[in-house]
Amino acid sequence: MEETAPTITKTTCPYCGVGCGVLATVAADGSVAVRGDPDHPANFGRLCSKGSALAETIDLDGRLLHPEIDGRRAGWDEALDRVAETFSRTIAEHGPGSVAFYVSGQLLNEDYYVANKLMKGFIGTANIDTNSRLCMASSVAGHRRAFGADTVPGSYRDLELADLVVLVGSNLAWCHPVLYQRLAAAKAERPEMKVIVVDPRRTMTADIADQHLAIAPDGDVALFNGLLAHLAEAGALDENYIAEHTTGFAEALAAAWRLDMDGTAAETGLDRASIAEFYRLFATTEKVVTVYSQGVNQSSVGTDKVSAIINCHLATGRIGRPGMGPFSVTGQPNAMGGREVGGLANMLAAHMDIDNAAHRERVQRFWGSPVIASAQGLKAVDMFRAVADGRIKALWIMATNPVDSMPDGDMVETAIRACPFVVVSDVLGATDTVRHAHVKLPAAAWGEKDGTVTNSERRMSRQRPFLPLPGEAKPDWWIVTEVARRMGFAEAFPYASPAEIFAEHAALSAFENDGTRDFDIGTHAGIDAAGFDALAPFQWPARRAGETSADDIRFFAEGGFFTPDRKARLVPVTTTAPARVGEGFPLVLNTGRVRDQWHTMTRTGKSRRLSQHLAEPFVEIHPADAAKYGIADADLVRVTSARGAVVVRALLTSRQREGSVFVPMHWTDQFAADGRVDRLVPPLTDPTSGQPALKHVAVRIARFAAAAYGFAVLTEKPERIAADYWAIARCAGGWRVELAFAASVADWPGVADAILPAAAGTETLSFQDAVAARRRFARFSGERLLGALYLAAEPVAVPRDWAVEQLSQAHADRRARLAILAGRPGKGGEDKGAIVCSCFGVGARQIAGAVVAGCHTVEAVGEALRAGTNCGSCRAEIRSIIHAHRLQAAE
Ligand SMILES: Nc1nc2c(c(=O)[nH]1)N[C@H]1C(S)=C(S)[C@@H](COP(=O)(O)OP(=O)(O)OC[C@H]3O[C@@H](n4cnc5c(=O)[nH]c(N)nc54)[C@H](O)[C@@H]3O)O[C@H]1N2
Ligand SMILES: Nc1nc2c(c(=O)[nH]1)N[C@H]1C(S)=C(S)[C@@H](COP(=O)(O)OP(=O)(O)OC[C@H]3O[C@@H](n4cnc5c(=O)[nH]c(N)nc54)[C@H](O)[C@@H]3O)O[C@H]1N2
Ligand code: SF4
Ligand SMILES: [Mo]
């Protein structure tokens, strides 16, 4: 047979806003391999653990492959007609305000552009909001009120050029790993460069920090106000810049003086010496970049936090020059693009302002649309309130999973369930949101879809398809276009390809712009299919035709803001950290991300490599708090707020701030019995941005008293798991499940029977130790282990990775099969401990062993075990294991 050469496609990673270039290779046998694109200016060939594991997430398992109406398979025509007719009828009967779209920063620019155009220009309301409301809204609001536009002034290169990088509420090591690696490499090269981390938790990011400020929740406004006052006192201001390019400085400084140093220390929970050290470094270092993320944005005072940070950069003129500037990093692959197309309910298209009549008229003229939304629409939290109280009667959700990711998750679920008409476009057939849709529309996934995304440094890159569309899946832009046509707007939605949409988007960005708007990619207004195919990553603005955009474009070094007088505004901020804990709820719940999972796990949850890092929902608790509430490591814990409760595993760590606990956002009903953390979060929002406070919730914790615990490895996913607590994760050869039971179960064999895979001719072995209350079951099909279940009165002590490996091994003789029941590695077996390096499956115990054996650097551990030598995402954790063992040795 003739060998076909593998094809290599240049595309972009679909996870975080770093926007790394990916080379996807499809081999002759159809198998896919990915690696970093060495030519992409975001990553120069690097990929993190999530990017490296992309090929493991593109299988068709669980995919929605055909449209469905009311739970039955339907054709595209019928489904699209149903959506268009129902939306049109609802609008005719109840007005445009009775319908809404809830969209996502995981849509491509082209998908996003048409969804926004349909809602704002043709349906005529701005009831389109996006999950970026939960993510970037405070940054957008802070940018707009300071700069007159939603402009990120700098480039990634600035993190490498800076002499001081301040990371505020950003766990860069886990959430923007490749950017973190660029920073870590720059610091290794220039050790005089300083890094300061401001985060209540000592995250892995803090590992390269010269200073970690374990700030009290929402203490950031006080910290940066204090900094502004210090900069004034220390004579570190740029008087010229302030005079020529800004207004509002005196008011901002007056507000900053609200607290003296003692007040600042009290409100930030930091000691005076640490604060003074941070202020001194900031004041005396010219090249400072302040990177901020969700610890800043996801707060009821988020916009003020952004302003407090930006004020310090404006007052020192440290903005838009190499190595200087405030830098809001975006979360999703296309969070930035969503802002460009106007996907937020309070924006128009192409960075135009919905509250500005001239802008509305201009966009309407450009679109040739019959109407244009005349006012801001409902922001996410208000949108779901309106769904709940019946004002919204038809809702279309695209590429987001609000039942799991919105605050007050149970209310959101109830609202969706009660809504007369819910359409969900998704790639999966079963998520906590999809399960409630009247119409399910199968969307094209990464690797299949075709378009552009914009990353944190305003760089647009192509996502290119390298796989065929499976089943009847269709790209999101096509789905929206088809519905628009069926609603009677065919003329304005003539698109046959994403290239045509991109060209229109580019033309609108340049339309009557003349340098008055920051977002301008007019150079691509005439792009054709071939040009779109070949489009190389570029940063905006890219204004004129033929103009090739320079790299590392920056804004505002010489002023030129997008306000009417072209000056920036310093905004006086006086908000104080809200006090939420109190009677009955004494602890602060903080939420966020882990290294190897992405949001609601719909994609990363498919990868066994990524699922081994942290395989269960957990709560990080400071040992002092754990002692106070009688909780031991690995206990199950119920975390309760005024809204609801979750049950998760206790992880005791002094990296956690006392008085605060941390629960990741990732676990859903698809992966755990009771792990949806957003059911605890009240729908409190920032008054300016509408962004919810996802990181500051009052809770209490209590040990979940289990009568029995269990652990199982299974070759097949069980239909249902009958346990009070369970968490399931992918592993090599199948699935691993943690279990717990509130009361003792009379019929353990029945439990085993329900969970172990059934097949004809199987053999089930069991073991019972009445004294220790241990029960064990193992089911075999010939030599093959189908599943094993371990039960005990205390957390099951069986080494997890050993048990997982048994699924892939032959158990030829009866002795080997009985060894499974013994539940411990036989001779030569090794307990690796919790997996640290996902790429090579290296565990914490192995790394600790290597350290004891003399490997005292990350490189030495890498040489001994390969750990940390592929994507590098685990290097911070390896460093911390080395560090911990050195401390032990010193004791
Ligand atoms: N592995 C992984 N990476 C991701 C994602 C993912 O799901 N998984 N998602 C992507 C997306 S959409 C986003 S938005 C980004 C988010 O990226 P990040 O914002 O870096 O991540 P988070 O974990 O949400 O929160 C960051 C930190 O804020 C801290 N924090 C909480 N309260 C405060 C406070 O009051 N002040 C300060 N200063 N800090 C506080 C938390 O302790 C946490 O460590 O990550 C992106 N990258
Ligand atoms: N407590 C708490 N809650 C949070 C956060 C937090 O830090 N704490 N963070 C918030 C933030 S910053 C964010 S960004 C959100 C993220 O929250 P979500 O957006 O709800 O999370 P995802 O799991 O990314 O959901 C994406 C959905 O789109 C589907 N999908 C994937 N690709 C495509 C596609 O190409 N087309 C279509 N149509 N569907 C697709 C996936 O299967 C999945 O169902 O969560 C927010 N919620
Ligand atoms: S840092 Fe990782 S997740 Fe983010 S874009 Fe790059 S490879 Fe993807
Ligand atoms: Mo996000």
Side-chain angles (χ1 to χ4, degrees):
M1 233 171 64
E2 205 178 310
E3 282 268 319
T4 7
T7 57
I8 300 178
T9 306
K10 271 181 185 259
T11 182
T12 310
C13 177
Y15 295 122
C16 83
V18 177
C20 296
V22 169
L23 297 179
T25 308
V26 183
D29 66 358
S31 65
V32 173
V34 300
R35 62 180 201 277
D37 178 353
D39 298 329
H40 197 288
N43 58 318
F44 300 105
R46 295 183 185 88
L47 290 181
C48 74
S49 51
K50 293 184 299 303
S52 303
L54 271 167
E56 282 183 35
T57 64
I58 54 179
D59 61 56
L60 297 184
D61 211 28
R63 280 291 294 272
L64 180 65
L65 293 174
H66 307 281
E68 284 181 24
I69 300 176
D70 298 328
R72 67 171 167 84
R73 183 170 164 180
W76 268 113
D77 271 330
E78 191 193 357
L80 294 164
D81 283 343
R82 174 69 68 93
V83 176
E85 275 164 19
T86 312
F87 268 80
S88 295
R89 182 164 26 84
T90 309
I91 293 162
E93 284 173 14
H94 304 283
S98 65
V99 302
F101 293 170
Y102 183 59
V103 302
S104 164
Q106 290 166 76
L107 291 175
L108 305 179
N109 284 315
E110 296 70 20
D111 308 324
Y112 231 144
Y113 178 87
V114 288
N116 186 59
K117 178 176 177 181
L118 172 58
M119 190 51 100
K120 293 197 178 126
F122 291 81
I123 292 176
T125 158
N127 280 351
I128 172 169
D129 210 35
T130 141
N131 61 1
S132 285
R133 181 70 56 197
L134 317 175
C135 182
M136 302 315 303
S138 298
S139 276
V140 173
H143 288 154
R144 292 179 77 206
R145 72 184 187 186
F147 308 147
D150 176 20
T151 319
V152 172
S155 289
Y156 292 160
R157 183 94 184 95
D158 293 323
L159 274 74
E160 296 164 329
L161 296 173
D163 293 319
L164 170 63
V165 174
V166 187
L167 295 150
V168 193
S170 156
N171 187 4
L172 207 72
W174 279 11
C175 295
H176 299 90
V178 166
L179 189 54
Y180 168 83
Q181 286 173 29
R182 286 180 61 169
L183 174 65
K187 186 166 161 54
E189 212 166 277
R190 286 192 299 121
E192 67 279 13
M193 172 187 199
K194 297 276 186 272
V195 173
I196 297 180
V197 169
V198 183
D199 191 309
R201 302 186 299 147
R202 189 178 170 83
T203 59
M204 282 301 157
T205 305
D207 236 64
I208 56 160
D210 299 278
Q211 193 184 22
H212 168 227
L213 298 172
I215 195 166
D218 286 333
D220 308 83
V221 172
L223 184 69
F224 283 88
N225 261 351
L227 175 58
L228 185 64
H230 174 84
L231 293 169
E233 280 155 19
L237 302 172
D238 184 337
E239 306 283 358
N240 277 342
Y241 194 90
I242 293 174
E244 277 179 39
H245 301 305
T246 74
T247 62
F249 173 73
E251 294 82 352
L253 185 61
W257 271 327
R258 182 179 64 86
L259 295 175
D260 60 10
M261 197 59 166
D262 286 330
T264 305
E267 200 161 320
T268 57
L270 301 168
D271 60 76
R272 290 180 49 133
S274 312
I275 298 175
E277 173 59 12
F278 165 49
Y279 288 178
R280 189 192 60 76
L281 251 182
F282 197 110
T284 54
T285 312
E286 173 84 355
K287 290 189 177 176
V288 183
V289 173
T290 307
V291 174
Y292 54 95
S293 186
Q294 301 315 337
V296 168
N297 293 336
Q298 288 172 341
S299 159
S300 61
V301 295
T303 309
D304 283 357
K305 292 189 188 188
V306 172
S307 291
I309 292 169
I310 291 177
N311 285 347
C312 295
H313 280 273
L314 289 173
T316 49
R318 295 176 190 157
I319 186 165
R321 287 187 282 149
M324 292 177 232
F327 203 132
S328 148
V329 280
T330 52
Q332 297 174 94
N334 202 30
M336 185 71 93
R339 289 143 69 177
E340 292 155 11
V341 303
L344 290 158
N346 56 319
M347 305 277 287
L348 204 46
H351 278 199
M352 277 177 276
D353 188 352
I354 200 163
D355 299 319
N356 180 321
H359 287 186
R360 292 198 302 270
E361 186 277 330
R362 181 186 297 139
V363 174
Q364 183 174 5
R365 190 151 40 81
F366 180 86
W367 279 341
S369 64
V371 283
I372 190 87
S374 57
Q376 298 191 9
L378 294 166
K379 296 176 182 151
V381 170
D382 289 332
M383 181 183 282
F384 282 97
R385 272 194 195 118
V387 175
D389 67 24
R391 276 175 290 153
I392 298 294
K393 296 169 174 45
L395 174 67
W396 187 353
I397 298 166
M398 301 175 207
T400 176
N401 190 0
V403 166
D404 296 322
S405 57
M406 283 284 295
D408 212 1
D410 287 347
M411 187 286 278
V412 167
E413 180 160 38
T414 308
I416 290 175
R417 209 187 269 140
C419 186
F421 189 64
V422 178
V423 183
V424 179
S425 309
D426 206 285
V427 302
L428 289 193
T431 72
D432 294 353
T433 300
V434 170
R435 63 188 172 191
H436 300 303
H438 299 103
V439 179
K440 300 176 192 167
L441 302 175
W446 181 78
E448 301 151 13
K449 52 186 196 174
D450 188 4
T452 58
V453 288
T454 316
N455 75 2
S456 293
E457 58 167 357
R458 294 173 277 104
R459 191 180 299 280
M460 295 181 127
S461 302
R462 290 276 281 112
Q463 269 196 24
R464 294 187 177 87
F466 54 88
L467 297 167
L469 288 171
E472 292 182 273
K474 289 286 189 184
D476 288 293
W477 68 264
W478 181 90
I479 302 174
V480 177
T481 296
E482 283 297 319
V483 168
R485 289 177 183 167
R486 283 158 212 254
M487 289 178 77
F489 311 125
E491 230 171 89
F493 291 82
Y495 318 112
S497 74
E500 294 169 22
I501 303 170
F502 181 79
E504 181 180 314
H505 177 39
L508 175 57
S509 76
F511 186 58
E512 298 175 1
N513 186 328
D514 304 319
T516 57
R517 305 194 303 271
D518 61 343
F519 177 66
D520 187 340
I521 53 166
T523 183
H524 297 295
I527 202 163
D528 59 10
F532 192 65
D533 262 355
L535 186 66
F538 72 97
Q539 247 185 327
W540 61 256
R543 294 181 189 275
R544 269 167 295 278
E547 182 182 87
T548 46
S549 62
D551 251 346
D552 301 327
I553 307 171
R554 300 178 179 88
F555 282 91
F556 311 141
E558 307 295 330
F561 293 91
F562 296 96
T563 51
D565 60 6
R566 310 237 59 171
K567 289 185 174 189
R569 307 276 180 268
L570 279 90
V571 181
V573 282
T574 51
T575 45
T576 51
R580 302 229 160 91
V581 296
E583 194 58 27
F585 302 103
L587 298 170
V588 170
L589 168 70
N590 172 11
T591 66
R593 296 161 166 77
V594 304
R595 192 189 75 197
D596 286 356
Q597 290 297 348
W598 176 262
H599 296 166
T600 66
M601 294 171 45
T602 58
R603 289 175 290 157
T604 44
K606 288 181 156 206
S607 160
R608 57 188 168 78
R609 255 205 286 168
L610 296 178
S611 299
Q612 54 184 359
H613 181 232
L614 291 159
E616 248 187 309
F618 60 86
V619 53
E620 282 183 359
I621 311 172
H622 190 275
D625 288 324
K628 196 151 130 196
Y629 299 102
I631 291 163
D633 208 14
D635 271 352
L636 288 173
V637 177
R638 175 170 278 127
V639 185
T640 308
S641 79
R643 305 250 144 195
V646 295
V647 180
V648 292
R649 189 75 63 179
L651 216 153
L652 271 50
T653 164
S654 47
R655 289 177 166 263
Q656 188 54 248
R657 195 176 194 279
E658 244 184 283
S660 286
V661 296
F662 178 87
V663 177
M665 65 170 292
H666 306 292
W667 274 267
T668 69
D669 291 354
Q670 311 297 318
F671 292 93
D674 237 335
R676 277 166 50 193
V677 74
D678 272 312
R679 59 160 49 124
L680 307 188
V681 181
L684 282 175
T685 55
D686 176 288
T688 310
S689 68
Q691 179 156 353
L694 299 168
K695 294 201 164 11
H696 192 164
V697 179
V699 295
R700 64 168 169 265
I701 56 174
R703 188 167 174 272
F704 173 86
Y709 294 85
F711 172 69
V713 287
L714 307 166
T715 49
E716 274 167 42
K717 193 177 181 186
E719 283 265 304
R720 210 175 68 82
I721 304 174
D724 300 296
Y725 169 84
W726 57 263
I728 188 162
R730 276 262 183 215
C731 64
W735 300 86
R736 51 180 285 186
V737 191
E738 300 285 344
L739 303 145
F741 304 84
S744 186
V745 177
D747 178 22
W748 287 120
V751 170
D753 221 38
I755 196 168
L756 296 175
T762 58
E763 172 194 24
T764 305
L765 303 179
S766 71
F767 161 86
Q768 178 173 7
D769 174 346
V771 183
R774 277 191 217 129
R775 306 283 309 234
R776 289 166 176 191
F777 301 87
R779 181 168 289 169
F780 297 87
S781 171
E783 295 183 353
R784 184 157 177 253
L785 176 67
L786 293 179
L789 171 66
Y790 301 89
L791 298 154
E794 69 283 350
V796 173
V798 171
R800 302 310 196 244
D801 59 295
W802 169 83
V804 165
E805 277 166 20
Q806 304 316 306
L807 288 176
S808 315
Q809 280 169 15
H811 306 279
D813 57 46
R814 194 167 168 82
R815 250 185 79 199
R817 295 203 280 276
L818 284 170
I820 303 283
L821 291 180
R824 59 174 181 274
K827 263 210 192 92
E830 182 194 18
D831 178 8
K832 295 178 179 175
I835 295 297
V836 172
C837 171
S838 308
C839 295
F840 297 117
V842 184
R845 269 174 203 257
Q846 291 171 290
I847 295 169
V851 177
V852 171
C855 301
H856 289 158
T857 61
V858 177
E859 286 66 34
V861 170
E863 260 175 47
L865 300 170
R866 297 176 79 198
T869 56
N870 183 40
C871 77
S873 295
C874 62
R875 292 170 69 89
E877 279 168 281
I878 296 173
R879 205 174 291 119
S880 77
I881 293 172
I882 296 170
H883 187 66
H885 277 265
R886 283 218 184 126
L887 286 182
Q888 272 178 18
E891 269 164 16

